[in-house]
C-alpha cells in the first residue's frame, strides 16, 4: 500500500512538472521561409502562440536589432491586424545597391483590428527583410505580447553563453553561411530580393522620369524664349524698313 501511494505521488508530481513545462516552451519565435543566409534577403515568420486560457492576444511588438540594422523591412498584410512601422536614424549610414541608407526600421507593431489570437491558437506574422548582416551568426528580436486582459509578456531575454534557455527568451534568428549569389537559400529569399530590387528600380525610374521631365521643360522654355526674342527682332526690323520706305517715297 505504501509503495502504491509513493508511486501515485510520484506520478502526480511528474504530471505537474509536465503541465508547468508545457506553457514555458510556447513562446514567440522567428523562423525563415527556407534559409536566412548572411548578406542575403529572407522572409521571416514571427510565430505567436496564445498561452492563456482566459485571455486572447491582441498586440505584438517586435524590436529589430540596433547593432545590425536592416535596410529594408516589409511586413505582409495580415487580415484583422493593423501594422505600424517605426523607423530611427542610424548612427552609421548603410551602403545598399550604391545608395546610402540613413534610417532603418526599429520596430514593427501588429494590433488587433477585428481579429485576435484566441486560447489554443497561434498566429504567424510574415516580414520580408534584407540585407542580412555578413558579420553575425544570429539576430535577436525582442518581442512584447499583450493580452486583452491588459497582461503584458516581455520576450526579451537573450540566450546565455551556456546555451540554457531563459524564462522569457527573445526570438532568435540563426543565420546560415552566405551563398555565392547572396539569395539566401531558395525561391522565397530570391523573390524577396527581387521585390526589394524592383522597389529600388521603380524609385530610380521615377527619379529619372522627373529629371527627364524637368530637362524637357527647361529645354522647351529656352526654345520659347529664343523664338520670342527672334520674333521681336524681326518686328523691329520690319518697322524700321517701313519707316525708311516711307521717307523715300516722300523724297
Amino acid at each position: 500500500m505504501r509503495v502504491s501511494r509513493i508511486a501515485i505521488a510520484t506520478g502526480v508530481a511528474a504530471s505537474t512538472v509536465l503541465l508547468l513545462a508545457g506553457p514555458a516552451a510556447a513562446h514567440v519565435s522567428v523562423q525563415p521561409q527556407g534559409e536566412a543566409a548572411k548578406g542575403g534577403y529572407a522572409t521571416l515568420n514571427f510565430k505567436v502562440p496564445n498561452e492563456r486560457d482566459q485571455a486572447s492576444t491582441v498586440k505584438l511588438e517586435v524590436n529589430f536589432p540596433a547593432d545590425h540594422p536592416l535596410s529594408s523591412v516589409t511586413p505582409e498584410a495580415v487580415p484583422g491586424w493593423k501594422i505600424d512601422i517605426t523607423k530611427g536614424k542610424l548612427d552609421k549610414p548603410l551602403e545598399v545597391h550604391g545608395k546610402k541608407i540613413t534610417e532603418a526600421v526599429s520596430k514593427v507593431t501588429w494590433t488587433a483590428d477585428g481579429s485576435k489570437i484566441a486560447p489554443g491558437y497561434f498566429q504567424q506574422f510574415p516580414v520580408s527583410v534584407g540585407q542580412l548582416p555578413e558579420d553575425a551568426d544570429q539576430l535577436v528580436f525582442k518581442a512584447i505580447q499583450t493580452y486583452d486582459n491588459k497582461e503584458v509578456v516581455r520576450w526579451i531575454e537573450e540566450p546565455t553563453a551556456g546555451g540554457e534557455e531563459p524564462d522569457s527568451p527573445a526570438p532568435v534568428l540563426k543565420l546560415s553561411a552566405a551563398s555565392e549569389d547572396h539569395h539566401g537559400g531558395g525561391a522565397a529569399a530570391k523573390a524577396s530580393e527581387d521585390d526589394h530590387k524592383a522597389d529600388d528600380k521603380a524609385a530610380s525610374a521615377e527619379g529619372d522620369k522627373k529629371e527627364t521631365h524637368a530637362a524637357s521643360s527647361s529645354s522647351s522654355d529656352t526654345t520659347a524664349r529664343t523664338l520670342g526674342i527672334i520674333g521681336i527682332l524681326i518686328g523691329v526690323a520690319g518697322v524700321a524698313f517701313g519707316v525708311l520706305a516711307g521717307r523715300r517715297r516722300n523724297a
Side-chain angles (χ1 to χ4, degrees):
M1 181 67 68
R2 185 178 179 183
V3 175
S4 300
R5 290 179 181 176
I6 294 175
I8 293 173
T10 304
V12 171
S15 299
T16 303
V17 171
L18 289 175
L19 289 173
L20 294 176
H27 54 77
V28 177
S29 60
V30 59
Q31 290 293 333
Q33 294 181 12
E35 288 185 344
K38 298 178 181 180
Y41 292 80
T43 297
L44 311 179
N45 285 326
F46 289 94
K47 183 179 179 181
V48 184
N50 194 88
E51 296 185 300
R52 301 296 180 260
D53 295 330
Q54 305 297 328
S56 298
T57 299
V58 293
K59 186 177 181 180
L60 172 69
E61 300 174 56
V62 175
N63 293 276
F64 284 72
D67 54 343
H68 294 290
L70 301 174
S71 62
S72 180
V73 176
T74 307
E76 180 179 333
V78 180
W81 294 83
K82 182 180 69 173
I83 302 174
D84 292 318
I85 300 175
T86 303
K87 293 184 177 181
K89 291 289 184 181
L90 297 176
D91 295 333
K92 182 180 179 181
L94 299 175
E95 188 80 17
V96 181
H97 301 311
K99 295 182 178 180
K100 282 190 175 181
I101 307 297
T102 59
E103 65 176 13
V105 172
S106 58
K107 181 173 68 174
V108 177
T109 304
W110 291 265
T111 306
D113 187 20
S115 183
K116 62 178 65 175
I117 308 174
Y121 291 85
F122 73 91
Q123 175 71 53
Q124 293 196 110
F125 299 93
V127 180
S128 177
V129 301
Q131 284 181 283
L132 297 172
E134 298 181 2
D135 57 349
D137 295 324
Q138 64 181 26
L139 295 179
V140 178
F141 299 87
K142 296 183 178 181
I144 300 176
Q145 182 179 9
T146 304
Y147 290 89
D148 56 7
N149 63 355
K150 308 303 181 182
E151 180 186 1
V152 176
V153 181
R154 303 177 184 276
W155 305 103
I156 60 174
E157 297 181 27
E158 299 189 21
T160 60
E164 295 182 1
E165 186 175 78
D167 294 333
S168 300
V172 177
L173 175 66
K174 300 292 185 180
L175 301 181
S176 59
S179 57
E180 294 182 358
D181 55 5
H182 276 188
H183 289 159
K190 179 63 167 64
S192 177
E193 181 174 5
D194 290 342
D195 289 341
H196 288 295
K197 288 184 177 180
D199 292 340
D200 292 341
K201 288 181 179 179
S204 178
E206 183 65 22
D208 293 342
K209 183 179 179 181
K210 290 180 180 179
E211 292 179 0
T212 301
H213 178 71
S216 177
S217 299
S218 177
S219 178
S220 298
D221 292 343
T222 302
T223 302
R225 290 174 184 172
T226 302
L227 292 176
I229 294 173
I230 293 174
I232 293 173
L233 294 176
I234 292 175
V236 171
V239 171
F241 180 78
V243 171
L244 292 175
R247 288 180 179 178
R248 288 178 180 176
R249 285 202 284 288
N250 292 333

